[in-house]
Amino acid sequence: MTTSTWNLEAGSGDWNTAGNWSPTGVPSDVAAFASSTQTGISFSQASGSVVNSIEFAAGASAYTFTFTAPSPTTPTLVIAGNGVTNSSMSQQSFIVAAASSGYQNPQLKFTHSASAGGANNYYCAGPATAQDSGGGVIRFADTSSAGAANFMAWTGAGTPPRYGSTVGGEISFGDSSTAASASFTIYGSLGSDGDTFGNTVFHDSSTAANATFTNIGGTVSGGDGGNTQFYDNSTAGDAHFYNKGGTFSKANGGDVAFDGTASGSYGHFYNYAAPAAGAYGGVTSFNNNPPEVASGGASAGNGAYFNFGARNSEQGGGGHVEFSARHGSPTAANGIFNNYGSTISGNATAGHTIFSINQPSSYFPTAGSATFYNHPAAAPGGAAGFTAFSVYTNSDSTGSAGDSCNVPTAGEGTFYNLGAYISGASGGYTTFSGTSTAGNAVLFAYGGTNGGDGGKIAFYDNSSGGTSSISLVDNGELDLSYHAGGVTLANLELRGGIIRVTLGSTPTSLTLTGALALPYPTTFSFQSSGVSAGTPYTVLTAPNLADFSADQFNGNSVDGMTPTFAIVGTALQVTFA
C-alpha cells in the first residue's frame, strides 16, 4: 500500500499537481489528508484520477473537493478500494457542480466495495449555479456503498436540452451497489420546467437498503419536487422515504417512482399533503415512466405506505400513491396502505391511492394481496381518505383498442373503510368506476360513531363486483345508485348497513353468486327516477335469500309512497303504495 499525503502548505488546491503531495506525485493508492493551509481541492484534469481510498486523519482540517468538469469521458475521480474514511471531527465535503449527459458520465465514482464513509462526510450533486440546468453525477457501481454519509441533489432554474443532459444533479446506484444507511435530501426545480429535479436513481439490482430519503416538494408553479427513482430490478430495501408536498400553487410534490420491475420491498413511504393551496402532495408512483415492460411491472412489495391528508395549516393536495400502469402492469403486492382524511374540503386534499389506466392500454394495475385502510375525514366538511379504481380514455395511451379487458382490479386485496368519529364527518371509502373490477377482494364498510358517517364502497358506471365479498356494519354503505345497471358479487354480510340503489326507469340492483349473511336488519336508501305504484322492483338476488324474512329489510319512502318488501324465491322485491 502506497500512501500519498496532502502537504501542510500545498502550493495550490489542485489534486493533479504532483508537488502538492508527499512523496511527490499524484496519488494512485491511498490519498491521506491531515492539517493543511490549502483545504479547497479541485481537479485540473477532467478525468483519469483513481485511488483506492481517501483517509482523513484525526486532526484533519475540513476539506472541500469540487468537481466541475462537464460530462467527462471517464470520471474525474474514481474511488475503487476501501473508500472514504474520516477519523476527524471535521466535515469533509465533495461537491459536484457541473453538467453531465447522464449517469454513465459521472464526475465522482465509487467502484468495487468502496464506501462513501460516515455521517461526517457530505456529498452534493448539482449544477454550477442556481441559474443553470441539469447537474453533475455521483455514481456507485459494483458493490460500492453510500455508507452513512449525507447526500444532497438539486438543480437550477434553467431548462436542460431535451437530449444529452441529466434532469438535475444525480446520485446514481447501479449493479449491486447499496445506499446502506446514508441520508439523502433531494430538491426539485428552481424553474417552471416540471421535468427537471434533483434525483437519486437506482438501476440494475441496486438497493436503497436502510437509507433515509427526503424528497422536498416543488417551490415554483409547474416545478417538480425532488425525486427518488427505481428501475430494472432495484429495490427500496428497508429504507424510509419522506415525500413532501409542494409549497407554491401548482408545484408538484416530492416523488418516489418505481418503474420497470423494481420493488418497494420492505420500505416505509410517507407522502405528505401540500402546504400551499393548489399545490400537489407527495407521491409514490408505479410504472408511470418508461421503459415499457414486456410482462408484469413494478411492485409495492411488502412496503408500508402512508398518505396524509391536509391538516392544520396545509391547504393543498393530499399525499398519494399512483398505480397508473402507463408503461407496465404494477401490483400493490403485499403492501399496507393508509389513506388519511383531511380537515378541508375537496377529495384530492385527502390521502389516497389510485389504480388507473388510460384506454386503450395493454397494461393494468392490481391491488394484489395488499391491505388498505381508508380513514375518515378529520373534521366536518373535510375529505375522507380513499382508494379508487378508475378507467379513463386517452388516445395517446400505450396499447390498442382490443386491450379493453385489461382493467384496474382490486385483486385479492383487503379494504377497510372506516367510519367517522366526529359528527358530520364522512367515512373512508373505496370506489370503482369505468369498467374497473373489485376482483376477488374483501371489502368492509364500518359504521361511524358520535354521529359520524359510515365508511363506503361505491360502484359507478359499468364497473364490476367480480367475485368480491362485502361486509357492511352499522351505517356503513354500499352505493350502487350511480351504476349503469345491476352489480354482481360473490358474498354479502349485513350487520346493519345501508344499500343505496336507484329505482324507476334505470334501476340498479345487487346479485350475489355466493351467500348472504344477515345477522342484523339492513336499510335500503332508494333514489328514484320515477317509481310506479304497485310495481315490484327487484333490489337483491341471492341463492339463500329464502332463509331470511322480509321484515329484516327496510327503506325510505319515495314520492310520498311507503315501501313494502317481499321475498319471492331468490329475489328481494320492493313495491310502493
Side-chain angles (χ1 to χ4, degrees), residues 383-410:
F386 66 93
T387 302
F389 295 82
S390 305
V391 176
Y392 306 105
T393 299
N394 183 349
S395 60
D396 294 330
S397 295
T398 302
S400 63
D403 297 326
S404 60
C405 61
N406 294 330
V407 296
T409 173

Side-chain angles (χ1 to χ4, degrees), residues 49-54 56 67 75-85 94 96 103 106-118 121-124 137-147 149-151 171-178:
S49 297
V50 180
V51 294
N52 285 322
S53 61
I54 298 177
F56 298 93
F67 302 79
T76 300
L77 177 63
V78 174
I79 304 173
N82 292 329
V84 179
T85 303
F94 298 79
V96 177
Y103 72 93
Q107 283 80 10
L108 174 60
K109 185 176 183 179
F110 293 82
T111 64
H112 301 301
S113 59
S115 170
N121 294 333
Y122 171 75
Y123 298 82
C124 179
V137 175
I138 300 170
R139 170 83 167 156
F140 291 86
D142 303 322
T143 59
S144 60
S145 166
N150 291 293
F151 291 81
I171 301 158
S172 174
F173 294 83
D175 303 320
S176 297
S177 60
T178 173

Side-chain angles (χ1 to χ4, degrees), residues 60 69 199 348 448:
N199 207 8

Side-chain angles (χ1 to χ4, degrees), residues 226-245:
N227 273 232
T228 299
Q229 295 180 293
F230 293 85
Y231 293 104
D232 306 316
N233 295 311
S234 61
T235 170
D238 293 282
H240 286 68
F241 302 83
Y242 302 90
N243 299 318
K244 302 305 180 98

Side-chain angles (χ1 to χ4, degrees), residues 406-426:
N406 294 330
V407 296
T409 173
E412 303 284 338
T414 302
F415 299 79
Y416 298 97
N417 302 287
L418 307 179
Y421 48 84
I422 301 171
S423 178
S426 56

